[in-house]
């Protein structure tokens, strides 16, 4: 290989280390070595100048290969580790492999050392590429959601600034025409009145769609105000009684958490409307000691969780899988409890360890 390898050799016998170097030179591998013998030296190497690969004897004074391997795995698990030992038992070598060593070579037969080194390096390179690809895949849902929200915000702005303005202009023109109609033409006046009523309805619908896409309350006033508006609109539209339980002086949350909780509330209420047959819904938000808890409960028909299929979950609005994904992206956990005839409860929790909240006082504990 073209790159000069930086190799750390953990070995207390100089001639054994020299034999390893000679075996590598025979295969024309470009390398430099650093020979160390103590635990402290190895720790210092890992902290200041990690190598490309570690070759280690099994037993050294007050130090052994298993301890070296554990230190390496704790600090740099991406660096290959090869055990190079004398005539020890096969059980020792197998134990090292089980603990995570990439290979073991007998000192009496170092011919395999160059190929083992190259193989271990290739293996770690593949693992790094795989880990990087998996990290990108894990990030993909977040990027998709961000793109969706950006598009929703754009469309909501267009509806408010363009479509709604056009409808307002049309409304003023209709009112102008209505003012100039002959008073005795009752039929034409009635038609204009119906047209104006339809236009008012269209303007309300545009505002509703715009609010669902990106509620201005969420950006301007925060999560609690947006939830109040959402619950009020839902109750007026569906006739379902909605009780909102949340703090009067809300704690300021990061924007991504507020948006996620709002979207989950939207979808939970949509599912209640479509599937629950409920008469009453309770929406609760509270925090305690840095943790957040959000709950939506309904008194609807419920369902049997043991037979809930993925397809059925996907039919339920955003779907439980998608709700869980939103919760995961902000570091929380999600649970659903339901049974036939006993309603459904959705709970989202963010623990103090994962929740990212701007300190601004405490909110009341949510009772169970």
């Amino acid at each position: 290989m073209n790159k000069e390898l930086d190799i750390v050799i953990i070995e207390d016998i100089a001639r054994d280390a020299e034999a390893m170097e000679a075996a590598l030179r025979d295969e024309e591998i470009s390398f430099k070595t650093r020979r160390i013998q103590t635990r402290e030296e190895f720790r210092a190497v890992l902290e200041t100048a990690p190598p490309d690969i570690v070759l280690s004897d099994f037993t050294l004074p007050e130090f052994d290969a298993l301890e070296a391997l554990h230190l390496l795995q704790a600090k740099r698990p991406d660096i290959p580790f090869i055990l190079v030992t004398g005539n020890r038992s096969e059980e020792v070598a197998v134990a090292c492999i089980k603990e995570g060593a990439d290979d073991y070579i007998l000192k009496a037969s170092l011919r395999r050392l160059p190929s083992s080194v190259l193989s271990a390096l290739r293996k770690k390179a593949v693992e790094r590429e795989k880990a990087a690809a998996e990290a990108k895949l894990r990030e993909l849902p977040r990027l998709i959601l961000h793109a969706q929200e950006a598009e929703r915000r754009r469309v909501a702005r267009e509806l408010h600034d363009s479509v709604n303005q056009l409808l307002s202009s049309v409304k003023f023109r209709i009112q102008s025409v209505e003012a100039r109609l002959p008073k005795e033409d009752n039929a034409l006046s009635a038609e204009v009145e119906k047209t104006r009523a339809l236009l008012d309805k269209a303007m309300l619908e545009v505002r509703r769609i715009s609010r669902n896409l990106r509620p201005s309350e969420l950006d301007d006033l925060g999560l609690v105000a947006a939830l109040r508006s959402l619950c009020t609109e839902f109750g007026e539209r569906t006739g379902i009684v909605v009780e909102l339980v949340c703090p009067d002086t809300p704690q300021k949350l990061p924007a991504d958490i507020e948006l996620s909780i709002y979207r989950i509330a939207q979808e939970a209420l949509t599912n209640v409307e479509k599937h629950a047959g409920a008469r009453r819904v309770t929406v609760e938000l509270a925090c305690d000691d840095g943790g957040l808890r959000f709950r939506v409960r309904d008194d609807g028909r419920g369902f049997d969780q043991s037979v809930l299929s993925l397809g059925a979950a996907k039919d339920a609005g955003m779907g439980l899988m998608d709700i869980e994904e939103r919760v995961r992206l902000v570091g929380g956990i999600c649970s659903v409890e339901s049974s036939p005839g006993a309603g459904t409860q959705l709970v989202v929790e963010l623990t103090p360890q994962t929740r990212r909240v701007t300190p601004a006082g405490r909110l009341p504990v949510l009772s169970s």
Side-chain angles (χ1 to χ4, degrees):
M1 47 191 307
N2 297 327
K3 177 183 178 293
E4 183 182 56
L5 292 178
D6 182 7
I7 302 175
V8 161
I9 299 178
I10 305 176
E11 176 61 75
D12 59 332
I13 302 174
R15 66 175 180 273
D16 287 349
E18 292 168 359
M20 297 180 210
E21 294 172 1
L24 294 172
R25 277 194 294 270
D26 288 343
E27 294 296 323
E28 299 182 353
I29 295 176
S30 177
F31 66 91
K32 63 180 180 181
T33 61
R34 290 176 281 167
R35 184 167 72 92
I36 62 175
Q37 304 179 52
T38 68
R39 181 186 304 104
E40 289 69 27
E41 287 178 316
F42 190 45
R43 281 201 180 105
V45 162
L46 294 179
E47 289 288 346
T48 59
D52 294 314
I53 190 166
V54 176
L55 309 180
S56 178
D57 188 14
F58 186 80
T59 303
L60 296 91
E62 301 181 2
F63 193 41
D64 63 37
L66 278 176
E67 188 174 355
L69 177 59
H70 293 157
L71 287 173
L72 182 66
Q73 289 175 331
K75 291 287 186 180
R76 290 295 302 271
D78 58 315
I79 296 176
F81 184 97
I82 297 177
L83 175 66
V84 184
T85 185
N87 294 321
R88 301 194 63 84
S89 67
E90 187 175 333
E91 287 78 8
V92 168
V94 170
C96 285
I97 295 296
K98 285 184 176 179
E99 290 294 321
D102 293 275
D103 200 356
Y104 76 94
I105 305 291
L106 294 177
K107 290 181 179 180
S109 180
L110 291 174
R111 292 188 302 273
R112 199 168 65 84
L113 181 59
S115 63
S116 177
V117 166
L118 296 177
S119 176
L121 289 169
R122 283 193 294 267
K123 176 186 173 186
K124 290 297 184 181
V126 169
E127 289 177 356
R128 284 193 291 270
E129 291 175 1
K130 181 180 177 182
E134 289 175 348
K136 288 181 180 179
L137 286 175
R138 287 193 296 270
E139 182 66 11
L140 187 58
R142 185 189 302 275
L143 295 176
I144 291 173
L145 286 177
H146 285 176
Q148 288 176 339
E149 292 300 335
E151 183 64 11
R152 285 183 175 194
R153 181 178 295 175
R154 185 192 67 79
V155 174
R157 189 182 301 115
E158 290 290 331
L159 286 172
H160 181 272
D161 296 343
S162 179
V163 176
N164 210 41
Q165 293 298 323
L166 287 173
L167 292 176
S168 296
S169 297
V170 173
K171 181 177 180 179
F172 289 137
R173 287 182 176 273
I174 289 177
Q175 289 173 337
S176 176
V177 170
E178 187 177 26
R180 287 180 288 177
L181 287 176
K183 293 183 179 180
E184 61 274 12
D185 196 339
N186 295 329
L188 186 55
S189 296
E191 288 299 320
V192 172
E193 177 64 25
K194 288 179 182 179
T195 301
R196 187 159 58 84
L198 287 173
L199 185 59
D200 287 339
K201 186 176 180 181
M203 294 176 69
L204 289 174
E205 186 67 9
V206 168
R207 292 193 188 99
R208 184 188 68 82
I209 294 172
S210 178
R211 189 185 305 117
N212 286 339
L213 286 169
R214 184 73 185 193
S216 59
E217 295 94 340
L218 190 61
D219 294 321
D220 300 335
L221 302 175
L223 177 60
V224 172
L227 288 176
R228 286 197 184 102
S229 178
L230 174 66
C231 292
T232 298
E233 187 276 333
F234 178 83
E236 291 174 351
R237 180 170 51 81
T238 64
I240 299 173
V241 177
V242 183
E243 179 186 7
L244 178 63
V245 181
C246 58
D248 292 330
T249 55
Q251 190 169 350
K252 179 60 180 173
L253 306 174
D256 59 340
I257 292 179
E258 290 197 337
L259 179 59
S260 293
I261 294 298
Y262 181 83
R263 292 299 184 206
I264 290 168
Q266 269 188 315
E267 295 301 330
L269 290 176
T270 298
N271 290 343
V272 169
E273 180 183 2
K274 289 183 177 179
H275 307 289
R279 293 174 297 177
R280 189 178 189 88
V281 181
T282 302
V283 178
E284 301 173 73
L285 172 70
C287 302
D288 179 60
D289 295 331
L292 177 148
R293 195 178 190 201
F294 177 73
R295 179 163 57 187
V296 179
R297 294 184 295 176
D298 68 67
D299 62 356
R301 62 176 63 95
F303 59 87
D304 186 349
Q305 289 182 262
S306 64
V307 299
L308 180 67
S309 65
L310 179 62
K314 283 292 184 183
D315 287 341
M318 184 200 297
L320 297 179
M321 297 287 288
D322 296 321
I323 289 178
E324 289 175 353
E325 181 63 22
R326 277 192 181 271
V327 175
R328 184 190 67 79
L329 289 175
V330 292
I333 57 173
C334 177
S335 63
V336 177
E337 296 178 7
S338 186
S339 59
T344 301
Q345 173 175 273
L346 169 72
V347 177
V348 173
E349 294 181 288
L350 276 70
T351 66
Q353 290 76 25
T354 59
R355 183 173 172 228
R356 295 160 287 166
V357 177
T358 303
R362 291 177 53 183
L363 303 186
V365 181
L366 189 65
S367 61
S368 58

